Amino acid sequence: VHDPATQATENKNMRRKLSLICFLCIAGIYAAFLHPAASLLFGAALVFILYICPFPEISFSASLKKAAVLAFFLGILVYSVQMDAVRTGHQLDGIERVWTAEVLSSSRCASGKTRILCRLDEKLCLNDGRQAGEKKHDGDILQRLNPYRAQCVYLYTDQTFRSDADLTGAVIRFTAKLEEPKGRRNPQTFDYRQYLRSRGIIHTAWTDGTEIMPVCKSVPARLKTVILKVREEYLNGLMLGEKEQQLLSGVLFGMTETMPEDMKETFRENGTAHILAVSGLHVGVIYGMHRRLTRNRKRKGSGGILLLFLFFYGCLTLWTVSVVRAILLIVLLTLGDRLGRRYDLLTSLSFTAALIALKNPCAVLGASFQMSFLAVGSMSFFTPILIRKLPPAIPRELPSALAVQIGTVPYCAFMFNQ
């Protein structure tokens, strides 16, 4: 018979092992981003610590050592594969030609231009990457097998459309010259190229106009169009002024493209810019309403309704990194509750981060990913410590709020110089 306390400790260690593996996978991506030599150096240091183990208080099982090393080099591999797709895509830059692409989303900018996020037709990209008359070779096969081969473009145009929702999922044809986004020009300034890569966007382009092709939309595209139509009709039905509607669009759905710069700067200065970046705050409100309505009872179908509504809200916000993180955490919490398993925040957070990193390795290099996971990670680490150290008379919400600030304030000072 096992002691319950010992068994609980062993289970906790097993969960924390998963956190270590996910963390090392992300660390491998960062190491490969810094420099190939840095990835080899960090890999050698990891092998030295795990197998030679100069610290006697640290001990790892043989299976954990193998999993840790494999996770680190998996991170290096996926980043290298994605960068190979990026380099292949930049062979398309600088040549003006006719492109065909599927619209992923569309929005109006504050300048009045229309910004279209679209995914280029893979066949055109592959054929344009070869010289005229050149036959298919092994590199084409590898490119087709590359999971990060999609070439996404931010397309700007003065053309106006009746509805951004109707344009979503449509196939368009346009004439443009693709360009590589510009990187930072000075240290510690905004890196537009890296920001777009963190969102899976490789090119930017300008066109005088687009032609919508008579192609039937896919089922997911039609579903997305219906959901975005609901968002448009809701915002257009409000009896609000232009500025009030822009504010509400930013607060509810993260649509900050049309917001005046002075309004966004006001949010930054008073420390409430996270309200405009739809994140765990918004998804947490939805989950809190669900808990209040169900009164924490396991009603049949209530979990499914919650997940369906979270999917609906994720589509409304175009699945930003912070929304994906928050929704996945609640999905894991709901599944654990239904299966009678204990929920561990740090393990769920690590697993969610690894999933996002594997889908788009460059996402971990973006400020959205870093601040989102740093805030929740700080809450997981420092809240128990603050609860023990602070007087019991203080409000119970204060330790969590302070824990978030401990992690994010130094990051903001370093990244944003304020």
Side-chain angles (χ1 to χ4, degrees), residues 29-50:
I29 295 175
Y30 274 109
F33 164 72
L34 293 175
H35 198 274
S39 60
L40 295 177
L41 179 62
F42 290 137
L46 176 63
V47 172
F48 176 79
I49 293 174
L50 291 178

Side-chain angles (χ1 to χ4, degrees), residues 109-127:
C109 301
S111 60
K113 297 181 176 61
T114 301
R115 185 177 67 184
I116 304 173
L117 173 58
C118 54
R119 181 173 54 227
L120 298 179
D121 184 273
E122 292 185 9
K123 296 181 180 178
L124 289 177
C125 295
L126 184 62
N127 293 334

Side-chain angles (χ1 to χ4, degrees), residues 55-86:
F55 309 104
E57 64 274 10
I58 300 178
S59 61
F60 299 100
S61 63
S63 59
L64 179 59
K65 293 178 182 178
K66 294 178 182 178
V69 173
L70 289 176
F72 181 82
F73 285 100
L74 175 63
I76 297 175
L77 176 63
V78 295
Y79 181 80
S80 302
V81 171
Q82 187 182 39
M83 285 299 100
D84 180 71
V86 170

